[in-house]
Amino acid sequence: MKAISLLLSASLFWAVSINPAQSQMPSNDDVAIIIGNKVYEDQDIPDVSFALNDAKAMKELARTVLNIREENIIYLENATQAKMQSAFGRSGNHRGKAFQYVKPNVSNLYVFYSGHGVPGRYDDKSYLLPVDADIETADINGYPIDTLYKNLSQVEAKSVTVFLDACFSGQSHAGTLIKRASGAQIVPPTANIPTQGNLSVLTAASKDQLASWDEENQHGLFTEYLLRALYGQADQDADGQVQLAEVNAYLQDEMRYKARRTYNRDQVPVMIGDDTRVLVKATDGTYPARPVIEKEAPAIETEAYPLTPVEENMFAVKNANVRALPTVRAPRVDMLEKGEPIHVAAKVTDRPWYAVEKGSKIIGYVFSDLLGEEKEIATEEENRAIRELKARLEKLEERTRLSTSQTLPAPPEQVHTPEQDLDEAMVLNERAPRTDDDPYDTIERTLKSMGALLARQSFIEQAPDADGPTRFTYNWIKVDANRCRISASLSLSHPMSRDKTIDIFDRQVEAHYWQNQERDRLVLRRPTADSDGETGITLYQYGPYGFRDKQDRRQFIALAKQLYDICPQPPRPYETTSQYGKPPPPSKFFNQKERFKDKLKDKKKRHIPPPFRD
């Protein structure tokens, strides 16, 4: 009997001792909705490079730290508008999956979103951007933030915590989203959060700030530091639990500093709601170790581009980005430091790009001008000395180019009389000296802005009912402030009919902006599935350049007009003949020394520097 009494006492003691540990375990009835929107169907919307990495890491945290059952995790990659409405409901109907999965007054609901956010163009709302949204009509096919907050406040969860790694400024780390707007009205996230209820929100940035990327860790900057906080680093008082207020304080301190140090920009998180909410608890004083998540590597496409074998060892003549595709708009997959050797497997046919490899695998593409041939038999010290010498010569050449008094390119082959040669020499010697008020920098900045407008005109338009897609690409763009011109190489592939295709590869064009250019509108026609029908792709021409976006062309023309006012024209004998602004016959401008003198006097009054430098 005594033995039975002792056994019962021991059993009771064992039951009491394990009960507290069980009570500290997070409830398996909790629910998580995790969305990563990376690739958008609208080609004007840049990718959110690390959105899927963010989503995968948050899913792992939900499983291992929050102890949420797999079937209670709604995980969406590249969510469309329909999927987002299915998850959260829509305006006027909050009964989405969040409402279905939550056990009333028992489940804690966690929502995480990584992707683009935009401001409405015609209202005062902010929107999460589904991957099938059109950037021009985001206020129609985006997901309104105020609808998200309103619906989540009605799901009857014990608590709702929302993390948004997005900004609503119309800008992104990868570039602007709203290209056709002069500005965007920003609605602070606090304006749409219900003041009553159990909803708490933590966003990546405030008002019109950008949500930056952490390229080193391949996460959104907000997500990277949120993960660090929830894996225990935010528990500054070491009480074994991480509250929402501690997460916000950690982000305010660590994430803000990282954004300022890396990008010299402000990124201030915004928190609204119950800051005493406990998000994570330690077990026996220890937080779970953060696991290593396999990062998504950008797909390297090698089948879509014809390659010419090279098989050479080369090196980076300067820091060089390795891209997933042979275009400057493709995601960066690696970077070669200046002087770093690399094996070149092939060259992209008809494009100035090299396919580079490490080991036996092509890792991406590098622009050909960024790679040079390594000395075949040389020590590393010799190669380093050669590279340093080349760098010094480049700097010396640059200084010489900017200070030279020989301001004109070599004249074309023409027959001149001795009197004409004397007259032209007199004109050149009387050119205005360079002053401190030199518009050369303005010319260079304006040309670079115009080049950026050209760079984003490249596009690929799918044509399921034709022989193939239309591809229009600017392979490279060079600005030359010395001669007020832009040079470019463009390629075009377009199905015209069932048995005919336009293929233009690496066509080089240039335009001077001390000359007026001609405008035109080109419509590329291609057949539809209906044998009697056809569709058209409009390109708006300005001089030799084509624009898909009419507003971009207007901006380009406005910049060109500015250059026309400040770019000095070369003396007439040195003008090049082109279809855009032909010079008058020689008889009208040869031997007119006085005309040149008068024109140069006017330039001196305006402090215009020599027009062209070599």
Side-chain angles (χ1 to χ4, degrees):
M1 187 68 181
K2 184 176 181 180
I4 294 175
S5 178
L6 289 173
L7 181 60
L8 291 174
S9 299
S11 300
L12 180 61
F13 174 78
W14 175 80
V16 171
S17 65
I18 66 169
N19 188 54
Q22 289 177 336
S23 65
Q24 292 180 3
M25 293 293 290
S27 170
N28 283 332
D29 290 319
D30 290 351
V31 177
I33 300 178
I34 300 170
I35 299 176
N37 281 357
K38 174 185 177 180
V39 181
Y40 286 79
E41 296 176 9
D42 187 340
Q43 294 186 19
D44 287 336
I45 303 176
D47 290 352
V48 183
S49 293
F50 307 130
L52 298 186
N53 293 342
D54 294 346
K56 290 175 183 177
M58 289 302 296
K59 180 181 179 182
E60 186 65 20
L61 181 136
R63 285 195 321 104
T64 60
V65 178
L66 303 179
N67 288 336
I68 300 177
R69 300 196 310 268
E70 189 77 31
E71 60 266 27
N72 277 8
I73 299 176
I74 301 171
Y75 179 76
L76 301 175
E77 291 187 354
N78 298 319
T80 62
Q81 183 189 41
K83 288 185 177 180
M84 294 181 70
Q85 288 181 346
S86 176
F88 303 119
R90 55 177 174 79
S91 179
N93 185 350
H94 65 279
R95 302 173 71 91
K97 288 185 178 179
F99 179 83
Q100 293 176 271
Y101 281 39
V102 162
K103 184 176 290 188
N105 302 317
V106 175
S107 301
N108 296 299
L109 174 61
Y110 300 90
V111 174
F112 175 82
Y113 173 83
S114 178
H116 282 310
V118 294
R121 295 183 62 186
Y122 305 107
D123 54 29
D124 293 335
K125 297 181 180 181
S126 298
Y127 297 84
L128 300 180
L129 207 59
V131 296
D132 58 347
D134 188 329
I135 193 62
E136 294 298 322
T137 56
D139 38 13
I140 296 175
N141 46 39
Y143 194 92
I145 284 291
D146 57 353
T147 299
L148 175 71
Y149 295 154
K150 182 178 180 179
N151 288 357
L152 290 178
S153 67
Q154 300 179 67
V155 299
E156 301 178 3
K158 183 179 179 181
S159 70
V160 180
T161 308
V162 180
F163 304 107
L164 298 180
D165 195 345
C167 59
F168 303 93
S169 63
Q171 302 289 325
S172 76
H173 191 105
T176 184
L177 296 177
I178 304 177
K179 296 183 175 64
R180 300 180 179 90
S182 59
Q185 183 177 5
I186 309 304
V187 181
T190 57
N192 298 321
I193 299 178
T195 56
Q196 304 295 329
N198 57 357
L199 178 64
S200 297
V201 178
L202 190 59
T203 65
S206 60
K207 295 185 178 180
D208 58 349
Q209 296 174 349
L210 267 69
S212 306
W213 293 343
D214 185 341
E215 297 193 5
E216 179 182 357
N217 295 293
Q218 297 183 33
H219 281 297
L221 192 65
F222 171 81
T223 301
E224 172 63 27
Y225 283 86
L226 174 65
L227 289 167
R228 296 185 186 187
L230 296 179
Y231 277 103
Q233 293 188 28
D235 186 11
Q236 298 299 316
D237 57 5
D239 63 348
Q241 60 185 17
V242 176
Q243 296 180 331
L244 187 59
E246 291 179 302
V247 174
N248 182 51
Y250 181 82
L251 295 174
Q252 292 276 355
D253 185 22
E254 299 295 334
M255 186 191 75
R256 287 186 67 183
Y257 174 69
K258 180 69 173 181
R260 182 171 65 250
R261 175 162 180 160
T262 305
Y263 302 110
N264 193 23
R265 69 170 65 126
D266 286 330
Q267 182 176 339
V268 182
V270 174
M271 186 201 72
I272 299 296
D274 181 10
D275 60 358
T276 63
R277 179 172 300 168
V278 176
L279 300 177
V280 176
K281 289 185 179 180
T283 302
D284 298 329
T286 303
Y287 291 96
R290 181 176 171 182
V292 177
I293 304 296
E294 183 177 354
K295 303 296 195 303
E296 184 195 35
I300 308 301
E301 180 62 66
T302 58
E303 300 298 330
Y305 303 95
L307 300 178
T308 302
V310 174
E311 300 297 348
E312 289 185 10
N313 292 321
M314 305 180 81
F315 70 95
V317 297
K318 58 179 70 175
N319 290 347
N321 289 326
V322 182
R323 303 282 181 179
L325 300 173
T327 169
V328 295
R329 300 184 69 182
R332 187 181 74 176
V333 298
D334 200 353
M335 189 188 77
L336 304 177
E337 294 185 358
K338 182 177 180 180
E340 182 177 346
I342 191 71
H343 182 72
V344 176
K347 181 183 183 298
V348 180
T349 307
D350 298 322
R351 289 195 182 191
W353 290 81
Y354 286 126
V356 298
E357 65 180 11
K358 289 184 178 179
S360 59
K361 181 180 179 182
I362 292 180
I363 63 169
Y365 300 88
V366 178
F367 188 63
S368 60
D369 287 357
L370 301 180
L371 297 180
E373 295 182 1
E374 190 76 76
K375 192 175 179 181
E376 289 187 3
I377 304 175
T379 65
E380 178 58 31
E381 184 65 23
E382 289 175 328
N383 286 326
R384 183 186 61 79
I386 291 172
R387 291 193 292 270
E388 290 179 354
L389 177 60
K390 285 184 177 180
R392 289 197 298 271
L393 290 175
E394 287 176 0
K395 291 181 180 179
L396 179 61
E397 183 181 3
E398 178 70 11
R399 287 196 297 268
T400 304
R401 183 182 70 82
L402 294 177
S403 62
T404 181
S405 60
Q406 297 178 353
T407 58
L408 286 173
E413 293 287 339
Q414 295 191 23
V415 178
H416 290 260
T417 65
E419 291 80 6
Q420 289 173 338
D421 290 336
L422 178 61
D423 292 343
E424 291 165 15
M426 293 174 63
V427 171
L428 293 180
N429 289 332
E430 294 177 3
R431 302 185 66 82
R434 183 177 179 181
T435 67
D436 292 336
D437 186 22
D438 189 344
Y440 176 81
D441 292 338
T442 302
I443 294 172
E444 187 171 41
R445 287 195 303 271
T446 305
L447 286 171
K448 287 181 178 179
S449 298
M450 295 165 71
L453 288 171
L454 287 177
R456 69 188 191 194
Q457 304 309 314
S458 299
F459 67 90
I460 300 176
E461 180 162 319
Q462 299 297 329
D465 54 351
D467 295 334
T470 294
R471 299 174 183 267
F472 182 84
T473 306
Y474 281 103
N475 303 312
W476 54 261
I477 299 168
K478 297 178 182 178
V479 300
D480 186 351
N482 300 328
R483 295 177 174 82
C484 272
R485 75 179 179 188
I486 296 179
S487 304
S489 164
L490 62 87
S491 298
L492 172 66
S493 178
H494 176 76
M496 293 292 290
S497 64
R498 299 299 177 189
D499 57 353
K500 183 179 179 182
T501 300
I502 293 179
D503 286 311
I504 300 173
F505 296 107
D506 199 19
R507 177 184 176 186
Q508 298 187 26
V509 294
E510 68 176 34
H512 296 81
Y513 293 102
W514 42 265
Q515 293 177 320
N516 281 320
Q517 309 290 305
E518 293 181 356
R519 305 186 192 187
D520 198 2
R521 181 181 178 190
L522 172 65
V523 178
L524 302 173
R525 302 289 183 183
R526 67 183 178 197
T528 62
D530 181 0
S531 59
D532 297 329
E534 63 179 16
T535 60
I537 297 178
T538 302
L539 289 179
Y540 301 96
Q541 298 291 120
Y542 183 64
Y545 299 114
F547 295 81
R548 184 72 192 278
D549 189 295
K550 191 173 184 179
Q551 297 297 329
D552 280 353
R553 184 183 73 161
R554 289 178 179 173
Q555 187 176 353
F556 189 91
I557 292 173
L559 294 172
K561 288 182 178 178
Q562 295 177 19
L563 290 178
Y564 187 74
D565 292 335
I566 63 175
C567 284
Q569 297 185 16
R572 291 291 187 175
Y574 297 97
E575 281 191 342
T576 59
T577 300
S578 80
Q579 58 177 322
Y580 306 106
K582 295 182 180 179
S587 60
K588 293 187 178 181
F589 55 79
F590 277 118
N591 295 324
Q592 293 197 19
K593 177 175 64 178
E594 294 303 319
R595 178 187 172 195
F596 293 151
K597 287 182 178 180
D598 292 341
K599 193 169 185 178
L600 288 171
K601 288 179 182 178
D602 291 338
K603 298 294 186 183
K604 291 179 182 179
K605 292 177 183 177
R606 294 167 56 198
H607 301 291
I608 296 297
F612 304 106
R613 308 186 181 106
D614 264 344

